[in-house]
Amino acid sequence: MSAKLSEVVLETEIDAEGKNRAVNADAAPRPASAGDLTVAVIIPVLNEFDNVRPLLAKLDDALTGVTWEAVFVDDDSTDGTADLVREIGRNNPRVRVVQRIGRRGLSTAVIEGMLATPAPYLAVIDGDMQHDERILPDMLHALRADGYDLAVGSRYVEGGGFGDWEESRQSISKFATRLSDMVLKNVRLSDPMSGFFMVTREAFTRSVRETSGIGFKILLDLVASSPEPLKVKELPYEFRTRVAGESKLDSAVAWEYLVMLLDKMVGHIVPVRFVMFAAIGGLGLIVHLAVLGVAFKALAIGFAIAQGIATIVAMTFNYILNNFITYRDKRLTGTRFFTGLLSFYAICAVGAIGNVGVAQYIYNLDTAWWLSAIAGVLVGVVWNYGVSSVLTWKK
């Protein structure tokens, strides 16, 4: 289980007693007892204020005859989304919110939402209303009556589609789908990028402790983390056009997807953060040598001073990339960016001393010079990674 998931703390709003449903989403009856609850619809949201009421109305229509609840997981929206859900929940006890402060990410939001409900069947749907909620009863039937572990809304099976997506975006999605084959075991999904699915409590429980919780692709994470192949049913749906709010897709989403794939491939051997940290350190070495060459050779600066300049530039380069990539979920901004930089300088300085000391010690044991150097570098990297994780990018 990743450190990220082990630090999960649930912050839930307790439902109030509500009135019988009138004609809007603000007033709907709750099952007579918690034991009657069948489906929890987990809705990860960030600034989706305008979509909350319309989505609840659509869910109410789609899930007629089913005892359900909606669990919004809000990553501290600035548009009042969480407050709106609380307001609705005061009259409609089947609606509640988990508001997360200081944490972001769709995958961990979904996981926390699923952990916050006792429902035996767990559905996930985006808060932007681009998923077709009308197939939720078919998903439930596949799990309850047909014995499937997982029902997935797919844009690739016959009858599904991408709506008004441009060709380039569809091509990217198809390429990401092919990459997913590297981590899927004995299960094949036509649309592993889908964020629209329903899973049994048992299947979720078996997988959750092995999930990475990285990025947006929680479906792929759950399937790849299952200790045994899941029995999957795919149902077609047409992806809708967003009406309100703004898309959260950007280049960072693509990067997080690649990081999640890397975690599923090597995370059981070495932390994926360490792999990224070490890779950035390799780039920093190239930067160091380039700056040293320019300063010492081209500008004729003394070697000691040139080495010092190159060291500072390389450490700054490493810090910026690690802050942006390796520790994106803990990114330091504002004044904390500069205090973090100073702590990173101090940590790397100690790491450099350890690097040289260990390399010299091993070399004195009649070890080949290059093996001694590698040992020193490894000690430095492990020190820098371990201590900066605790001090620079602390929780």
Side-chain angles (χ1 to χ4, degrees):
M1 180 175 177
S2 68
K4 187 172 184 179
L5 292 185
S6 68
E7 296 165 1
V8 163
V9 178
L10 297 179
E11 301 155 0
T12 60
E13 286 294 315
I14 305 300
D15 293 331
E17 290 296 323
K19 302 176 182 178
N20 287 337
R21 190 181 191 281
V23 292
N24 58 55
D26 285 12
R30 179 74 182 267
S33 68
D36 294 331
L37 181 63
T38 301
V39 177
V41 183
I42 312 302
I43 311 166
V45 289
L46 177 65
N47 297 327
E48 297 288 0
F49 183 95
D50 293 332
N51 288 320
V52 171
R53 292 183 191 275
L55 176 58
L56 285 172
K58 286 182 176 294
L59 289 175
D60 200 36
D61 289 339
L63 293 171
T64 299
V66 177
T67 52
W68 61 278
E69 69 172 357
V71 182
F72 289 82
V73 186
D74 179 85
D75 279 2
D76 205 20
S77 296
T78 57
D79 68 348
T81 297
D83 290 334
L84 174 61
V85 177
R86 289 191 187 95
E87 178 186 333
I88 295 172
R90 280 194 287 271
N91 294 314
N92 183 352
R94 66 157 54 125
V95 178
R96 57 199 182 94
V97 64
V98 175
Q99 184 174 2
R100 311 195 306 169
I101 298 176
R103 303 193 304 284
R104 282 197 176 184
L106 186 142
S107 290
T108 53
V110 169
I111 290 169
E112 291 189 37
M114 289 180 169
L115 292 172
T117 176
Y121 300 99
L122 307 165
V124 179
I125 192 169
D126 282 355
D128 55 16
M129 298 179 62
Q130 292 183 287
H131 294 153
D132 188 350
E133 73 291 331
R134 292 173 298 179
I135 69 170
L136 285 170
D138 294 330
M139 290 181 171
L140 180 60
H141 185 272
L143 271 53
R144 295 182 77 179
D146 299 336
Y148 288 95
D149 300 306
L150 174 68
V152 179
S154 174
R155 297 160 293 184
Y156 288 99
V157 296
E158 185 177 354
F162 286 86
D164 64 352
W165 270 25
E166 59 272 17
E167 191 65 32
S168 60
R169 190 172 176 185
Q170 292 187 41
S171 298
I172 293 172
S173 178
K174 292 174 182 177
F175 176 68
T177 296
R178 288 195 293 271
L179 288 179
S180 70
D181 290 340
M182 295 188 297
V183 299
L184 289 176
K185 300 171 184 176
N186 298 319
V187 176
R188 286 294 173 263
L189 296 174
S190 69
D191 194 358
M193 303 297 103
S194 178
F196 184 29
F197 61 92
M198 188 183 294
V199 64
T200 64
R201 167 71 62 182
E202 292 77 11
F204 167 72
T205 301
R206 289 196 300 267
S207 297
V208 65
R209 286 179 173 79
E210 299 302 321
T211 56
S212 65
I214 298 172
F216 280 61
K217 303 309 176 185
I218 180 60
L219 171 63
L220 177 60
D221 200 353
L222 282 171
V223 174
S225 301
S226 178
E228 56 192 53
L230 298 177
K231 187 179 179 183
V232 180
K233 173 74 171 182
E234 294 191 295
L235 301 167
Y237 83 100
E238 182 80 18
F239 200 72
R240 294 170 177 160
T241 301
R242 174 186 276 273
V243 176
E246 296 181 357
S247 174
K248 311 304 186 298
L249 294 176
D250 56 22
S251 58
V253 173
W255 171 254
E256 288 179 343
Y257 175 63
L258 295 176
V259 172
M260 190 268 286
L261 291 180
L262 182 62
D263 181 77
K264 303 316 296 181
M265 290 187 288
V266 303
H268 60 290
I269 302 173
V270 61
V272 68
R273 278 198 207 269
F274 178 76
V275 175
M276 293 188 290
F277 191 92
I280 289 172
L283 294 176
L285 176 60
I286 296 174
V287 171
H288 181 105
L289 294 176
V291 172
L292 177 61
V294 170
F296 182 58
K297 293 293 186 179
L299 302 179
I301 297 175
F303 181 80
I305 296 177
Q307 175 76 343
I309 294 172
T311 299
I312 293 295
V313 171
M315 286 194 296
T316 305
F317 172 86
N318 287 358
Y319 172 78
I320 292 173
L321 257 64
N322 278 309
N323 191 54
F324 184 76
I325 297 175
T326 309
Y327 297 96
R328 184 177 183 273
D329 58 317
K330 302 180 181 181
R331 187 180 303 170
L332 304 177
T333 58
T335 57
R336 294 182 66 225
F337 175 88
F338 296 101
T339 56
L341 177 60
L342 293 177
S343 73
F344 190 73
Y345 284 159
I347 291 165
C348 290
V350 175
I353 294 172
N355 179 336
V356 173
V358 169
Q360 183 64 52
Y361 174 79
I362 294 179
Y363 179 72
N364 290 340
L365 297 177
D366 292 329
T367 305
W369 65 268
W370 57 274
L371 282 177
S372 303
I374 291 174
V377 168
L378 288 175
V379 168
V381 170
V382 171
W383 165 269
N384 292 344
Y385 168 74
V387 180
S388 65
S389 294
V390 174
L391 298 182
T392 304
W393 289 284
K394 56 188 175 184
K395 282 198 300 179

